[in-house]
Amino acid sequence: MHPAFSVVFFTTATGAGYGLLAVLGVLGGLQIVPAQFWLGLVGLGLALGLIAAGLLSSTGHLGRPERAWRAFSQWRSSWLSREGVASVITFIPAGLFGVGWAFLGRTGGWVAIAGLLAAIDSVITVCTTGMIYASLKPIAQWHSRYTLPAYLIFAAMTGSVLLNALLQGFGIGSTGVLVLSLLATLAGWGWKLATWRHNDRLEIPTTANTATGLAGGTVRSLEWPHTEENYLLKEMGFRIARKHSAKLRMLAQALAFALPVLLIAATFALPWPYAAVPSVLAAIVQFAGMLVERWLFFAEAKHTVTLYYGR
């Protein structure tokens, strides 16, 4: 698949935003995180800002962005439409939670309920995003048991690392959140390695022979269907050299997982305000690493339509 930056940024930003909103909703609703004005304002502002920026960037990949609203009407059959509906609904409890926490200084009662609902809606929205790709049977690298859990794990990972950076920055660091961010990053690393191992060993049974139903030889095209590259090849047949893929995988591991683990581990040994520095750096480098990881997620996928072009 052709990795358009608008879609890469969309999946990265919304994943981090919904992840942060979910952990804020749960921990704030359970009164584990204190109801401080600036923490609530900055935390929820960052979460909703990432979500809004991601949703807006996704329209850059549309041929007719002004018609994006029509996607909401297909929620009965389309995971993309369900994602749009869920993302809009999430803003309602998130807004109520933000008003109660940041402006009223409360995290109990109806504010706690709104926070928990915002967390549940965030999880549902991330699931719909993951199912957009997991439901596509023509792309074997996505149509697997690894895709949906990856979206949930990465959202929890980036969200907890962002929350840890916020708490350390405001001088109210939590050991529990620090441990959560460390374990989530290790879990994300392990899941990504397992996904790559699965995809590298993947044997796609579909061939030109099975597609045409012909046997007794190898079916091949005498000439290309087109004289120049077209939409199908650009969007569905992107190819990345194996050596480049290996380098980008190492870069994604270093930025998204290895460096954040080291920086978060260093936070344990540092007093405030010095602990805030590695925590903030961990969130920044992890976001950059997830951009690389998401780019590879699209670039390494192969659509079976490429069989039509002899690939």
Side-chain angles (χ1 to χ4, degrees):
M1 301 293 287
H2 186 264
F5 180 76
S6 58
V7 179
V8 171
F9 180 79
F10 160 72
T11 53
T12 305
T14 54
Y18 284 119
L20 177 57
L21 180 59
V23 292
L24 280 173
V26 172
L27 298 182
L30 297 177
Q31 300 183 19
I32 296 175
V33 175
Q36 290 190 5
F37 171 76
W38 285 110
L39 175 61
L41 187 65
V42 175
L44 288 170
L46 178 60
L48 296 178
L50 285 170
I51 294 170
L55 292 174
L56 288 174
S57 73
S58 66
T59 62
H61 195 61
L62 300 178
R64 299 294 295 272
E66 70 276 7
R67 297 181 181 178
W69 63 272
R70 295 185 179 180
F72 292 89
S73 64
Q74 307 301 315
W75 58 270
R76 292 180 182 84
S77 59
S78 169
W79 283 107
L80 179 62
S81 183
R82 292 165 187 164
E83 177 198 43
V85 173
S87 64
V88 172
I89 294 176
T90 304
F91 278 89
I92 299 174
L96 293 173
F97 179 58
V99 170
W101 184 9
F103 296 101
L104 301 180
R106 298 173 56 186
T107 53
W110 64 270
V111 180
I113 295 174
L116 294 176
L117 286 175
I120 294 172
D121 287 343
S122 296
V123 173
I124 292 174
T125 306
V126 172
C127 285
T128 58
T129 304
M131 283 305 300
I132 292 174
Y133 304 100
S135 64
L136 296 178
K137 294 183 180 180
I139 305 175
Q141 289 82 359
W142 296 352
H143 188 64
S144 75
R145 64 183 183 274
Y146 291 91
T147 300
L148 178 57
Y151 272 83
L152 293 170
I153 293 171
F154 292 154
M157 176 186 76
T158 51
S160 60
V161 171
L162 281 171
L163 178 59
N164 176 64
L166 287 170
L167 293 178
Q168 295 293 341
F170 283 98
I172 50 176
S174 168
T175 302
V177 174
L178 196 57
V179 172
L180 173 63
S181 60
L182 181 62
L183 293 178
T185 302
L186 290 173
W189 195 356
W191 194 261
K192 189 70 244 186
L193 290 175
T195 302
W196 280 333
R197 188 180 303 112
H198 169 267
N199 289 345
D200 290 343
R201 297 175 179 177
L202 193 63
E203 293 184 3
I204 302 175
T206 305
T207 64
N209 286 66
T210 60
T212 57
L214 299 175
T218 301
V219 175
R220 62 185 180 87
S221 177
L222 294 177
E223 59 182 16
W224 271 41
H226 305 279
T227 57
E228 60 184 19
E229 190 174 82
N230 65 350
Y231 171 82
L232 288 175
L233 287 177
K234 182 180 179 182
E235 295 295 322
M236 305 295 184
F238 183 83
R239 289 187 294 181
I240 178 174
R242 183 172 297 180
K243 63 177 182 179
H244 297 317
S245 178
K247 291 178 180 178
L248 288 173
R249 284 187 180 188
M250 293 298 294
L251 181 61
Q253 289 185 74
L255 294 178
F257 309 113
L259 281 176
V261 165
L262 293 176
L263 290 168
I264 293 170
T267 306
F268 281 99
L270 295 173
W272 192 84
Y274 304 107
V277 176
S279 295
V280 173
L281 285 176
I284 294 173
V285 298
Q286 186 171 79
F287 190 87
M290 288 307 298
L291 288 173
V292 179
E293 187 279 331
R294 290 291 87 184
W295 191 93
L296 279 172
F297 175 76
F298 291 99
E300 292 182 327
K302 297 177 182 178
H303 198 291
T304 52
V305 75
T306 56
L307 290 172
Y308 187 54
Y309 297 89
R311 295 182 182 177

